[in-house]
Amino acid sequence: MRTADPNRVTARRPPDRKARILAAAGELFCERGYHNVSVADVAAAVEITAPALYRHFRGKPDLLLHFVTGAIERISASVQDAPDVEAYLRDAASHGLERRGAATLWQREARHLPEANHEELRRSLSEIADRLGVLIRSARPELPEGDEELLAWSVLSVLGSISGHRVSLPRRRFEQLLYRLAHIAAYRQLGTPDGEAAAADRSGSESPGYEQLAVSRREDILNTAIRLFDERGFQSVSSDDIGQAAGATGPSIYKHFPGKTDLLVAAVTRGGEQRRAGTAAALGRATTPEESLTGLLRSYIEFALRHSHLIGLLIGELDQLPDKERKASRQVQRDYLALWVRILDDVAPGLDAAEAKITVCAVLTMIDNAVRTRSLGERPDLADRLTELGTGLLLGREQRE
């Protein structure tokens, strides 16, 4: 009979192993993209075997579901427990850095979940926005009907915007900036001269988006691909899917685009060109730093409103580009952010560069999310309201001066 060796040390399973696995999975999904991470990669990150990981999770989709669900549940609890909007803003700002990657995974990767799970999470987010809207209306009972919803989504976007970049500040300063930006989003006065000027300035100045032009077969295929890549993800869409949705045969697609990757490259290139053209036109009309900043803001809002599926593709699919195009696209994004920071510095000299980048990213994220939120997209005044909110965030204004 075998007896136990009293000198043998038995390795014990850490009590927080499941949490460590989830944290590692979330970090890898954010860094590399869901499709570029394997279960073995996650297991290696926590120094266990893949079979050991399967004791806790059924597979990669289960990891993604648990991570995103957990993040949304924490936000929900924070909103539900808050006695007022001020308490929520302070709590969210102080804990936001701990959940920095959650928003990226929702925006970029949650569509890879089964449709039932995705819709359930979408409903949960809507309930969070509804509850936050109630808190905002309690603090601001004079708000016109429906504005609390826009402000609630704007607050959530500002808080989640830090997920999309790696700009850093000392923790206390970061929390203070995040709170200040979220506070402006919650209390910004709407229906101000900023919005009225935006409406007047845009009158007759909008150029038609590509969907408003006479659409050739090539354009129709590209537009269809952009929509499907956004809705399902590049990896989940085949050339046959695109052809069927566009009413084109396989040979017809290959006549214009040799492969699916060529469609993605063309779409990203298209996005960069159209945004660049709008930016150039807006800055060309400006005569002061302030006009340059508001013109840049309005041009991006108009671009986002016309091309919401393209926005989704730029958010979620750059990692699927070939190496050369991916690096070029990342550089275009960095240059665009640098342009915003430079113009903002012209308007408010001496602003800390890191704080300026974080602020600009908050504005762009707010716009991106608003044009892609179903209920907000139905607002005919959305461009004007986003102009007011963006101006407030950029210049640190809550109320009409």
Side-chain angles (χ1 to χ4, degrees):
M1 181 177 177
R2 198 176 209 178
T3 58
D5 183 352
N7 296 317
R8 183 182 177 186
V9 177
T10 302
R12 294 184 178 180
R13 183 182 305 171
D16 63 342
R17 175 172 285 179
K18 186 172 184 177
R20 290 172 58 202
I21 293 171
L22 271 182
E27 185 174 342
L28 289 172
F29 292 157
C30 286
E31 180 181 339
R32 304 183 194 175
Y34 176 76
H35 282 294
N36 298 322
V37 176
S38 67
V39 169
D41 292 331
V42 178
V46 289
E47 300 180 334
I48 61 174
T49 63
L53 185 149
Y54 282 115
R55 296 192 192 107
H56 300 280
F57 301 97
R58 294 190 297 274
K60 198 166 69 165
D62 197 34
L63 281 167
L64 179 61
L65 176 62
H66 274 78
F67 187 90
V68 175
T69 299
I72 291 177
E73 286 176 348
R74 286 190 292 273
I75 297 171
S76 178
S78 178
V79 175
Q80 292 295 333
D81 294 344
D84 52 45
V85 66
E86 183 70 17
Y88 169 72
L89 295 178
R90 293 197 177 280
D91 179 74
S94 66
H95 292 95
L97 296 177
E98 300 166 7
R99 304 189 286 260
R100 190 164 185 174
T104 289
L105 290 188
W106 165 252
Q107 293 174 342
R108 194 180 70 193
E109 311 293 2
R111 60 192 163 172
H112 302 303
L113 293 170
E115 184 62 25
N117 295 131
H118 195 197
E119 280 303 313
E120 182 179 353
L121 292 171
R122 193 190 299 276
R123 284 193 297 272
S124 296
L125 273 176
S126 294
E127 291 169 1
I128 290 170
D130 290 344
R131 169 58 182 164
L132 181 52
V134 170
L135 296 180
I136 291 173
R137 177 160 292 283
S138 294
R140 304 183 61 189
E142 80 287 353
L143 279 174
E145 184 68 27
D147 279 1
E148 74 276 13
E149 180 189 19
L150 173 59
L151 295 178
W153 282 112
S154 298
V155 168
L156 294 174
S157 294
V158 166
L159 293 170
S161 65
I162 61 174
S163 181
H165 62 78
R166 297 186 179 183
V167 184
S168 185
L169 285 171
R171 185 178 180 93
R172 182 59 179 160
R173 280 180 57 199
F174 210 146
E175 290 179 2
Q176 290 173 339
L177 175 60
L178 199 56
Y179 166 76
R180 186 164 69 249
L181 292 172
H183 196 275
I184 290 171
Y187 285 90
R188 176 61 170 157
Q189 182 78 26
L190 301 179
T192 67
D194 289 329
E196 294 162 10
D201 185 72
R202 279 201 324 277
S203 179
S205 67
E206 293 185 24
S207 58
Y210 65 81
E211 73 278 4
Q212 297 171 292
L213 302 173
V215 180
S216 67
R217 171 54 70 191
R218 184 181 190 279
E219 293 294 298
D220 192 28
I221 292 170
L222 182 57
N223 295 344
T224 300
I226 290 171
R227 176 177 60 81
L228 293 180
F229 290 160
D230 175 33
E231 292 174 348
R232 305 182 196 174
F234 177 78
Q235 294 281 2
S236 302
V237 176
S238 68
S239 294
D240 288 341
D241 293 332
I242 297 168
Q244 183 176 9
T249 62
S252 175
I253 292 179
Y254 298 129
K255 174 183 175 181
H256 300 289
F257 301 97
K260 191 174 71 165
T261 299
D262 298 283
L263 278 161
L264 181 61
V265 171
V268 172
T269 302
R270 159 75 61 78
E273 290 173 347
Q274 294 191 339
R275 188 177 66 183
R276 187 161 49 249
T279 298
L283 297 183
R285 293 190 295 268
T287 59
T288 66
E290 290 77 10
E291 288 181 1
S292 293
L293 185 62
T294 54
L296 184 61
L297 174 62
R298 293 168 195 162
S299 73
Y300 187 75
I301 291 170
E302 290 165 9
F303 169 79
L305 283 168
R306 289 199 301 267
H307 309 304
S308 61
H309 284 304
L310 193 52
I311 290 292
L313 190 147
L314 294 172
I315 291 172
E317 300 300 339
L318 293 186
D319 287 340
Q320 302 300 320
L321 289 168
D323 187 59
K324 178 182 176 182
E325 286 78 7
R326 182 175 65 253
K327 290 179 179 178
S329 181
R330 296 291 186 197
Q331 187 59 52
V332 167
Q333 298 285 61
R334 287 191 290 270
D335 291 344
Y336 187 61
L337 177 59
L339 173 65
W340 275 86
V341 171
R342 186 167 64 251
I343 292 176
L344 181 56
D345 185 62
D346 289 339
V347 176
L351 185 65
D352 178 85
E355 291 194 8
K357 290 179 181 178
I358 293 168
T359 299
V360 170
C361 288
V363 171
L364 297 180
T365 300
M366 177 193 68
I367 295 167
D368 290 345
N369 289 349
V371 303
R372 291 166 57 74
T373 300
R374 295 170 185 171
S375 57
L376 299 184
E378 298 172 356
R379 291 185 62 133
D381 64 344
L382 184 59
D384 298 338
R385 303 292 79 82
L386 289 176
T387 298
E388 294 166 340
L389 283 161
T391 302
L393 291 169
L394 291 166
L395 301 180
R397 298 174 183 165
E398 292 174 358
Q399 304 294 338
R400 185 182 307 191
E401 296 183 351

